């Protein structure tokens, strides 16, 4: 930059000679800047800067002028100079500087700048998101590579952006030359005003030649970002504050953006009206419709906005009136810009934001809208949709996974271009947890069983009751741990942990319930009926352990319930030691078990028992067979066989 090489003595002379001219020029630029005439301001600011003036406010405004106009690689030049002059800037300048650094690919310096931003304003959601997602580039990389994109034939050398589907056509905004003698330009950008155009979506996937959309819709100001109701009879679109030949202005004499509605009558779009929640004092723009058409989403900087622009929704009543706009909240909005919403047929909200960790400028993000109206975690859709510049206005046909988005990336035809894409793999994981409830012993299906879904902290999320087929289904989050609780009258309640997979699909879980009331009779082993663990004795020991005493209490309770019941206690050992030694050891264990029961109130004549040593092993861990300790423990057990009930 020239200003880096001008000697300080010459600089002082120039100030004394040209200060009055510089002041007048900069005043005009300041006025243009305040009225959002960024290109006009840029031309003046740059002329002043090229003469060697180093003014902090000048570089702030010059950087901002490019930043707000989406030309981030040009903005970084002036933010570089700004931070060379004075590193102590307001927090917002650190964030803007980081965004422009990303646009040049300098992510390392951008992250360092964001760390300073985070220290200065740690409560800002953008700072929190960065702090909690330091590995955001790795996360974005994992989400990338899911799209094939191409530049399409409808783009001009001017701006083309913001497409929508309508009647086998693609409708979009364009600043291309309309052929008039007097070309009108938009003061904010010094480019042609945008009008709506349409291009036929042919069966072979190509696009027809763009044509001007409805004359009644296009005005002498900007029109853009339409959305159409499913029946094709209602259209919402963005336009500058202009209706019936009258131009509206805010208190600063600026003409902001508003949302308008049009109706399709007798083959023409007519009855253009502005929506009732518009205002001359703030902008509303970029409409999107919910799947059922009963809710309108849009971007605005109206009072109650969390950042520079937020996403809002408003209910469309049956009589055509509108409810009160509601901010989508901090799960979607940040202190930055959230804009260009789109609701897919899968009930996902796609939108552009520069307030979240991204690749630079506006990135496209997605979240699923839950049945309760809340949103799932927001995800960056990744490259190649997102890049270093502004990427926005994403729409998708969920049936064929084809769609369009807009970008001012390098290599395009104009300032903004529309790109077509094919999504080869979905990002948002869609999982269901399904299964049946069965009787644990007979495996028969159980109806009228309650199944409860709980989160990792055992908080109830949802519950269902099984029908005749014994089935249940829950919609669940991927890569998440849940607990599933099954309950039914006369059965013991059971709770099972389950981890949901990380890819779209279904997770199956059968819930076997055990009868609470169990039939017993002669020959029944109470150890199995009462689910008594089979490990009672330590190696080479015959005394009753504390955990064994706890289980024996169950046997004791049954024998008290049935005073005439008699049982035979059968003790077993593993194969280690000699057979004779094991017979003696198992006899001692049977004797210890009987003594414990007698000591706790069972009359001796109701108890018999003996040891079987290693003669009845439950596995193949016999002599000279190598087994684990756990396998040997399976053989050290006691059985409680009912021999009489009378």
């Amino acid at each position: 930059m020239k200003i880096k090489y001008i000697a300080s003595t010459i600089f002082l002379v120039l100030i004394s000679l040209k200060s009055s001219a510089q002041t007048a020029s900069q005043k005009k630029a300041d006025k243009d800047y305040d009225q959002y005439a960024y290109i006009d301001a840029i031309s003046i600011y740059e002329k002043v800067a090229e003469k060697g003036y180093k003014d902090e406010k000048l570089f702030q405004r010059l950087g901002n002028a490019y930043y707000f106009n989406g030309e981030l690689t040009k903005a970084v030049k002036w933010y570089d100079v700004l931070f060379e002059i004075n590193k102590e800037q307001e927090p917002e300048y650190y964030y803007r500087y980081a965004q422009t650094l990303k646009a040049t690919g300098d992510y390392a310096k951008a992250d360092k700048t964001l760390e300073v931003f985070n220290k200065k304003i740690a409560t800002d959601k953008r700072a929190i998101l960065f702090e909690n997602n330091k590995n955001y580039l790795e996360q974005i990389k994992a989400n990338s590579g899911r799209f094939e994109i191409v530049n399409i034939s409808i783009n001009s050398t001017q701006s083309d952006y913001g497409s929508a589907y309508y009647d086998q056509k693609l409708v979009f905004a364009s600043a291309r030359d309309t052929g008039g003698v007097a070309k009108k330009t938009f003061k904010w950008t010094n480019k042609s005003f945008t009008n709506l155009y349409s291009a036929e979506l042919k069966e072979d996937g190509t696009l027809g030649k763009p044509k001007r959309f409805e004359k009644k819709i296009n005005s002498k100001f900007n029109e853009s970002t339409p959305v159409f109701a499913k029946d094709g009879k209602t259209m919402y679109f963005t336009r500058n504050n202009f209706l019936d030949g009258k131009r509206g202005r805010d208190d600063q004499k600026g003409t902001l953006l508003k949302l308008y509605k049009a109706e399709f009558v007798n083959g023409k779009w007519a009855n253009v009206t502005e929506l009732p929640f518009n205002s001359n004092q703030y902008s509303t723009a970029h409409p999107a419709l919910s799947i059922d058409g009963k809710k309108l989403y849009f971007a605005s900087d109206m009072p109650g906005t969390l950042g520079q622009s937020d996403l809002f929704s408003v209910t469309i009543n049956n009589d055509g009136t509108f409810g009160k706009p509601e901010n989508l909240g901090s799960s979607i909005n940040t202190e930055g810009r959230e804009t260009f919403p789109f609701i897919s047929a899968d009930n996902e909200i796609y939108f552009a934001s520069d307030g979240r960790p991204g690749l630079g400028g506006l990135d496209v993000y997605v979240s699923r809208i839950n049945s309760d109206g809340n949103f799932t975690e927001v995800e960056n859709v990744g490259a190649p949709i997102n890049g270093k510049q502004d990427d926005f206005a994403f729409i998708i046909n969920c049936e064929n996974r084809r769609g369009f988005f807009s970008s001012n990336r390098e290599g395009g035809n104009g300032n903004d271009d529309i790109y077509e894409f094919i999504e080869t793999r979905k990002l948002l994981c869609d999982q269901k947890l399904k299964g049946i409830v069965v009787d644990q012993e007979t495996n028969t299906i159980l109806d009228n069983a309650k199944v409860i879904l709980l989160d990792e902290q055992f908080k109830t999320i949802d519950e269902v009751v099984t029908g005749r087929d014994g089935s249940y289904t829950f919609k669940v989050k991927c890569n998440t741990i849940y607990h599933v609780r099954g309950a039914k009258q006369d059965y013991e309640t059971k709770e099972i942990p389950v981890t949901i997979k990380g890819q779209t699909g279904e997770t199956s879980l059968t819930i076997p319930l055990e009868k609470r009331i169990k039939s017993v009779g002669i020959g029944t082993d109470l150890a199995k009926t009462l689910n008594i663990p089979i490990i009672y004795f330590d190696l080479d020991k015959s005394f009753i352990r504390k955990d064994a005493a706890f289980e024996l209490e169950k046997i004791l309770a049954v024998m008290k319930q049935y005073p005439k019941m008699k049982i035979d206690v059968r003790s077993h050992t593993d194969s280690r030691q000699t057979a004779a030694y094991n017979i003696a050891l198992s006899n001692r264990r049977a004797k210890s078990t009987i003594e414990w029961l007698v000591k706790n109130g069972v009359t001796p004549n109701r108890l018999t028992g003996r040891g079987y040593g290693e003669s009845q092993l439950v596995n193949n861990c016999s002599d000279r067979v190598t087994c684990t300790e756990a396998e040997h423990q399976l053989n050290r057990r006691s059985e409680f066989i009912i021999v009489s009930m009378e």
Side-chain angles (χ1 to χ4, degrees), residues 328-340:
L328 296 194
S330 59
S331 60
I332 294 293
N333 294 314
T334 69
E335 286 82 353
R337 294 179 293 169
E338 277 71 44
T339 186
F340 291 98

Side-chain angles (χ1 to χ4, degrees), residues 520 526 530 549 552-567 596-603 606-607 642 644-645:
V520 294
L526 290 179
L530 300 174
L552 286 175
E553 289 285 356
K554 300 175 184 177
I555 302 295
L556 182 63
V558 172
M559 297 195 74
K560 287 182 177 180
Q561 182 179 352
Y562 297 96
K564 295 182 179 181
M565 178 184 288
K566 295 181 180 180
I567 63 172
W596 187 95
L597 291 169
V598 171
K599 181 180 177 181
N600 285 275
V602 179
T603 56
R606 297 175 61 195
L607 299 166
I642 299 174
S644 175
M645 296 285 290

